[in-house]
Amino acid sequence: MAAVTGDTLNIYSHRHYGIDERVNALFTERTGIEVRMVNADADQLIERLRSEGANSPADVLVTVDAGRMERARKLGLLGKFDTEDLDMPDPPDGIGDPDGYWHPYMIRARVILTAKGRVEPGEINRYEDLADPRWRGRLLARSSSNSYNQALMASMVAAHGEREATEWAQAVTRNMARPPQGGDRDQIKAVAAGLADVCISNSYYLGMMLESPDPSERAAARQVDVIFPNQDDRGTHANVSAIALLKHATHTGPAHEYLKFLLSPEIQRMLAEGTYEHPVNFDSSLTEVHREWGEFKIDTDTFGDLATHHDAAVRAFDAARWR
Ligand SMILES: [Fe+2]
């Protein structure tokens, strides 16, 4: 499986971070394997893989959503890495694919952020609390068309059933300080600016803002506290950056080298510093920001059901008029 000079690896990736280019350049430097990356939305990449079929140049698929990987697997697009002889760490229990078709390599926690001074520590601990009328006019979240919110909603359906999850979505929508607009970062900035007291965001956006070159982003990030929800029950909803070998991959040796490389402590650390996603192995590669947040329990109860409940999640959002 050792790579030879002149080898290539073709990546179809949903990720769009500068750090990925640096990681790939380092991979080339270390192994001599040239990397070609095509970036697009995961749904577009899946469509492209379907139409290219056996002629696809792609060797691996990278997404930021386990549900998209499940979809690719169901469509028969994925092959399987042979990880037996690969010296790499296992992901935390319950967040990988039990069948081994795709491998998580970074963790993306969806958290609750609260305004310092306006929300007391302990006042909100669970996603379920966001439905409490005490947050009327004080809550912000982005649009329901966003895949991060859809996965969170799917986890609520998995935990409570569609009916109860729909009622939750209705109550959360009633609590919003304004109709959904912008991305996660915009919610954090709006809370910092006093428009609302509580918002939902992926934790890595706060990490990026805390370490931003832009002083106004750093200042906004310091106005909020981060809460990893549901620590006393099922855990915090998290999604993953994940990689899969494609069924029609031709550069399988380089693909295996790349998987091993991504999961090495050095690259886990580099990626964590680049995006503030959590490394899959908390012990070896946490940044200062991650250490300050502390370890947290991931919701592994619902993780395997996120793809199953995707359609119910979209229905719940529609019924709630969470736009
Ligand atoms: Fe993101």
Side-chain angles (χ1 to χ4, degrees), residues 251-299:
H251 307 98
T252 54
H256 282 79
E257 291 286 329
Y258 190 68
L259 171 66
K260 193 173 141 181
F261 185 71
L262 288 181
L263 287 167
S264 68
E266 179 194 3
I267 302 307
Q268 287 280 295
R269 172 79 191 214
M270 200 172 152
L271 286 165
E273 283 172 346
T275 65
Y276 292 93
E277 292 166 286
H278 279 81
V280 274
N281 291 76
F282 283 10
D283 45 349
S284 63
S285 16
L286 291 174
T287 69
E288 275 312 306
V289 166
H290 291 123
R291 273 181 221 291
E292 212 164 284
W293 291 345
E295 288 197 20
F296 66 98
K297 178 183 172 187
I298 296 172
D299 175 5

Side-chain angles (χ1 to χ4, degrees), residues 222-233:
R222 285 197 294 267
Q223 302 295 311
V224 299
D225 288 317
V226 58
I227 292 152
F228 287 83
N230 296 69
Q231 289 303 290
D232 294 331
D233 49 289

Side-chain angles (χ1 to χ4, degrees), residues 16-17 64 108 142 146 148 184 202 204-205 208:
H16 48 81
Y17 304 110
V64 292
R108 312 160 69 83
R142 73 194 295 177
N146 166 259
Y148 308 153
D184 282 356
N202 284 352
Y204 60 82
Y205 287 109
M208 288 197 272

Side-chain angles (χ1 to χ4, degrees), residues 142-265:
R142 73 194 295 177
S143 156
S144 67
S145 63
N146 166 259
S147 67
Y148 308 153
N149 275 347
Q150 290 175 356
L152 171 61
M153 192 69 219
S155 80
M156 292 300 291
V157 173
H160 297 291
E162 185 171 345
R163 198 188 136 157
E164 217 177 291
T166 303
E167 285 165 8
W168 175 81
Q170 279 163 341
V172 171
T173 307
R174 265 199 303 276
N175 284 344
M176 287 181 188
R178 65 175 180 194
Q181 56 182 270
D184 282 356
R185 253 183 244 251
D186 298 308
Q187 318 310 317
I188 301 173
K189 287 176 187 170
V191 168
L195 247 83
D197 298 333
V198 178
C199 72
I200 304 171
S201 169
N202 284 352
S203 62
Y204 60 82
Y205 287 109
L206 182 65
M208 288 197 272
M209 285 175 65
L210 283 166
E211 300 290 313
S212 169
D214 176 352
S216 71
E217 284 208 332
R218 290 200 300 277
R222 285 197 294 267
Q223 302 295 311
V224 299
D225 288 317
V226 58
I227 292 152
F228 287 83
N230 296 69
Q231 289 303 290
D232 294 331
D233 49 289
R234 66 185 180 276
T236 296
H237 165 68
N239 214 323
V240 290
S241 284
I243 181 166
L245 183 69
L246 290 159
K247 190 165 76 185
H248 297 299
T250 48
H251 307 98
T252 54
H256 282 79
E257 291 286 329
Y258 190 68
L259 171 66
K260 193 173 141 181
F261 185 71
L262 288 181
L263 287 167
S264 68

